[in-house]
Amino acid sequence: MTVNVSSLSLNPAVSPDDVDRVSVGFSLDRTRNDGFSTYLDEEVDYCILKKTPEPDVSVVILLLDFRTDLIKVRFSSEAASLLPRILFVSEENGTALNTKLLKSSEPSSDSGKNPPKTNENADGKGEKSKQSTTSSQSMVEQKHPFHKDGETYSFQFSFNISSDKQEGLYSLYFHKCVAKKGPANDQQLFSLDIDITEKNPESYLSAGEIPLPKLYISMALFFFLSGTVWIHILRKRRNDVFKIHWLMAALPFTKSLSLVFHAIDYHYISSQGFPIEGWAVVYYITHLLKGALLFITIALIGTGWAFIKHILSDKDKKIFMIVIPLQVLANVAYIIIESTEEGTTEYGLWKEILFLVDLLCCGAILFPVVWSIRHLQEASATDGKDFIGKLHTTHSIAVFPGTQSSGDVLPAAINLAKLKLFRHYYVMIVCYIYFTRIIAILIKIAVPFQWKWLYQLLDEMATLVFFVLTGYKFRPASDNPYLQLSQDDEDDLEMEAVVTTSGVMEGMKKVKKVVNGSAEPQGEWESTA
């Protein structure tokens, strides 16, 4: 990692009287994964630059000393073997400056003032080191000069990972602390240009992102194959195809195309260190289309459009008026997050917006499914009551044709089958939402940094499984669960109808068996006397 800081300036400029009041510098934090970090991510009421690095924390502090025009590099001596060596480059000769390591001991509750130090000639080359001891806790400090041009400062440093112990997830923070002066803090503005180059041995990507190009292109192939199989099913069952089936067909191909562009985008970042804007824009467009299409398809299936009813009610239309704009906003937030740095104000704001909007979208698409379940429950209860009333009033023979359009009990039973299907689909949606959202947090905490790509793998696999299960449950076929009675429950294996309550047939009943979704025209007569 190479960091080149140029044109660092403060407004107002630091005067000799304000040197002890203003602290500016960087901190380099190393963790094993992205779930746990040091106190650098926490809200603190003290200046981190003036706090002594704790022995068990892998943190390097780089503090700019405006009085001596030096950069003080501090870290715990106990963590020295776990941290890489920071090398500074002199702008005058372009060579790394080797400075003497000096050990000092400071209390953990550092007051911010440098302890008194004494000069001593440490070696024959005239390099000076300073040493002071105030407690038993040790700290290593290095000093390096930086370039000053008027009121602007510039310097460059780098580090290399030399051992397995030093491997980890590194985060670079910039800090500016202003001590209180009077009743309130003075406003101290800063400006700087910083150029950071991060490179692993074979890629510019982070260690946890190196497998992503291959992962995305592989998953794109799986989604494309699933879409191809779905198109084959639609062509084979043309008579049973609804409009929503073609909408479902567009989803895996859009998802596949989005993953292809995502893989290309990551490939260029891996090989060149920066994305190609054209490929990034195409990916963001397909990603937006995929997200909108996914939520629209789930909402349409949830409302029962084309399966139960052919028009959307006013309540259903309101859901789409809410979900579609929220999806657009969520994708805009995602694009902004992907194209901005984590330390910017916009990143934190849009990350919170994305979380909130995504939560609202996931909740909104569950409402149509709940409404359909309630509608089917009412329809099933109504159909069942009507049939029982007819039996007691007409004493006529009940007919059980193998079609959906006639009969009294069959619609009620079909509604029950649909009701079970919608409940299963509701559980599928909830499991998919929770799995893809919560697993991100669990993996972030549990796995090491180099296995961070597992989240993308499990997320894409969960999406593929969700697509396949949805297609299987709502497939266009004559034996579709929407068009037949359930074969799983014992209550649906046979239906009984009282033929008559008088005459020679009294005490007899006709037993109808359901085979392949339709009632057989012939049945058995049995006596219940």
Side-chain angles (χ1 to χ4, degrees):
M1 180 176 181
T2 302
V3 180
N4 185 11
V5 180
S6 60
S7 303
L8 172 61
S9 62
L10 299 174
N11 184 22
V14 181
S15 61
D17 298 335
D18 294 334
V19 170
D20 295 332
R21 191 174 63 89
V22 180
S23 300
V24 177
F26 294 86
S27 61
L28 187 66
D29 171 30
R30 184 186 72 88
T31 55
R32 295 302 300 174
N33 55 44
D34 200 18
F36 297 97
S37 185
T38 63
Y39 50 81
L40 297 177
D41 281 339
E42 301 175 358
E43 294 291 337
V44 294
D45 56 356
Y46 57 85
C47 183
I48 293 177
L49 297 174
K50 295 183 178 181
K51 180 179 175 63
T52 301
E54 300 176 3
D56 57 342
V57 177
S58 300
V59 174
V60 180
I61 303 295
L62 296 89
L63 175 62
L64 277 68
D65 190 345
F66 297 106
R67 179 182 286 109
T68 59
D69 293 342
L70 294 174
I71 299 178
K72 298 179 180 179
V73 181
R74 298 175 178 175
F75 53 91
S76 172
S77 61
E78 298 183 12
S81 61
L82 304 177
L83 295 169
R85 183 181 179 185
I86 307 295
L87 298 176
F88 279 76
V89 177
S90 171
E91 293 187 353
E92 288 79 9
N93 53 24
T95 58
L97 296 178
N98 296 321
T99 58
K100 179 73 175 180
L101 290 181
L102 62 97
K103 293 186 178 180
S104 63
S105 298
E106 298 177 2
S108 58
S109 57
D110 196 345
S111 62
K113 295 182 180 180
N114 293 331
K117 299 181 181 180
T118 58
N119 296 340
E120 64 177 355
N121 196 343
D123 54 17
K125 297 182 181 180
E127 295 180 353
K128 294 182 179 180
S129 63
K130 300 179 181 181
Q131 182 176 357
S132 65
T133 303
T134 58
S135 72
S136 60
Q137 183 177 351
S138 62
M139 181 187 69
V140 178
E141 183 178 276
Q142 297 176 337
K143 292 187 178 181
H144 304 270
F146 58 80
H147 180 71
K148 182 178 180 181
D149 185 9
E151 300 298 336
T152 62
Y153 312 92
S154 58
F155 54 91
Q156 180 179 344
F157 64 90
S158 63
F159 68 88
N160 293 313
I161 306 301
S162 58
S163 66
D164 295 341
K165 294 181 179 180
Q166 296 177 355
E167 291 182 350
L169 184 65
Y170 284 85
S171 301
L172 182 67
Y173 297 82
F174 174 76
H175 305 277
K176 182 211 65 174
C177 306
V178 180
K180 290 185 177 181
K181 183 180 181 181
N185 288 345
D186 293 343
Q187 187 177 21
Q188 189 83 35
L189 304 179
F190 70 91
S191 175
L192 79 158
D193 295 329
I194 184 169
D195 183 21
I196 303 177
T197 303
E198 308 164 17
K199 190 177 188 303
N200 278 301
E202 298 178 357
S203 174
Y204 282 98
L205 290 172
S206 178
E209 297 176 342
I210 291 177
L212 287 184
K214 296 179 180 178
L215 169 64
Y216 285 140
I217 202 70
S218 301
M219 292 306 302
L221 180 61
F222 282 111
F223 279 102
F224 180 81
L225 291 177
S226 64
T228 304
V229 172
W230 183 252
I231 291 293
H232 174 70
I233 294 175
L234 296 186
R235 292 175 59 87
K236 188 176 179 180
R237 297 281 186 176
R238 292 183 179 180
N239 296 332
D240 303 311
V241 173
F242 295 107
K243 293 180 180 179
I244 196 172
H245 288 132
W246 294 108
L247 189 63
M248 295 167 64
L251 191 55
F253 290 107
T254 306
K255 175 68 175 177
S256 177
L257 200 61
S258 174
L259 289 176
V260 169
F261 293 138
H262 206 16
I264 295 175
D265 188 34
Y266 265 93
H267 170 73
Y268 280 107
I269 297 176
S270 176
S271 59
Q272 300 180 5
F274 55 88
I276 304 298
E277 292 186 1
W279 290 112
V281 170
V282 174
Y283 160 67
Y284 290 139
I285 293 175
T286 54
H287 178 78
L288 188 146
L289 292 176
K290 182 268 301 179
L293 189 61
L294 173 62
F295 276 82
I296 290 174
T297 304
I298 294 176
L300 285 174
I301 295 176
T303 59
W305 180 73
F307 290 114
I308 299 177
K309 54 189 176 182
H310 298 281
I311 59 173
L312 296 176
S313 64
D314 293 337
K315 189 185 296 184
D316 298 333
K317 292 178 181 179
K318 290 179 181 178
I319 286 293
F320 285 96
M321 292 175 63
I322 296 174
V323 170
I324 295 177
L326 285 178
Q327 266 299 296
V328 174
L329 181 60
N331 282 274
V332 170
Y334 172 80
I335 293 171
I336 293 177
I337 289 176
E338 285 287 304
S339 58
T340 56
E341 296 294 336
E342 292 187 21
T344 59
T345 306
E346 294 81 5
Y347 183 90
L349 174 63
W350 284 100
K351 187 175 182 180
E352 294 177 357
I353 292 176
L354 176 62
F355 177 79
L356 177 61
V357 171
D358 187 55
L359 189 63
L360 292 176
C361 287
C362 294
I365 62 173
L366 292 178
F367 281 104
V369 186
V370 174
W371 293 338
S372 296
I373 291 175
R374 184 178 302 173
H375 171 74
L376 289 171
Q377 286 176 332
E378 295 174 354
S380 300
T382 302
D383 291 339
K385 292 179 181 178
D386 291 343
F387 170 71
I388 293 174
K390 289 183 180 180
L391 284 180
H392 288 286
T393 56
T394 61
H395 305 284
S396 61
I397 297 177
V399 183
F400 292 87
T403 62
Q404 185 181 359
S405 57
S406 60
D408 290 300
V409 173
L410 193 58
I414 289 180
N415 284 333
L416 288 175
K418 292 179 182 180
L419 179 61
K420 295 177 182 178
L421 183 61
F422 266 98
R423 286 174 176 170
H424 295 165
Y425 191 57
Y426 177 83
V427 174
M428 281 174 51
I429 296 176
V430 172
C431 292
Y432 173 70
I433 290 174
Y434 275 88
F435 183 82
T436 54
R437 270 65 179 178
I438 295 180
I439 196 174
I441 302 175
L442 297 179
I443 290 182
K444 194 176 184 181
I445 296 174
V447 303
F449 65 95
Q450 62 266 36
W451 297 97
K452 189 178 177 181
W453 57 272
L454 278 178
Y455 164 66
Q456 281 80 8
L457 173 62
L458 294 178
D459 182 65
E460 300 300 336
M461 290 295 295
T463 303
L464 179 62
V465 171
F466 179 74
F467 284 7
V468 171
L469 290 179
T470 302
Y472 174 76
K473 286 184 173 295
F474 302 100
R475 61 192 181 276
S478 57
D479 58 347
N480 186 282
Y482 273 105
L483 306 177
Q484 70 167 2
L485 298 179
S486 175
Q487 301 296 312
D488 300 329
D489 299 326
E490 295 180 358
D491 295 340
D492 296 328
L493 291 177
E494 62 179 18
M495 293 185 300
E496 297 181 356
V498 179
V499 180
T500 180
T501 57
S502 60
V504 295
M505 301 298 293
E506 185 175 0
M508 304 291 290
K509 67 179 180 181
K510 189 176 182 180
V511 179
K512 286 293 183 179
K513 294 184 178 180
V514 178
V515 180
N516 294 329
S518 60
E520 295 178 352
Q522 291 84 19
E524 298 178 358
W525 294 94
E526 68 179 23
S527 174
T528 57

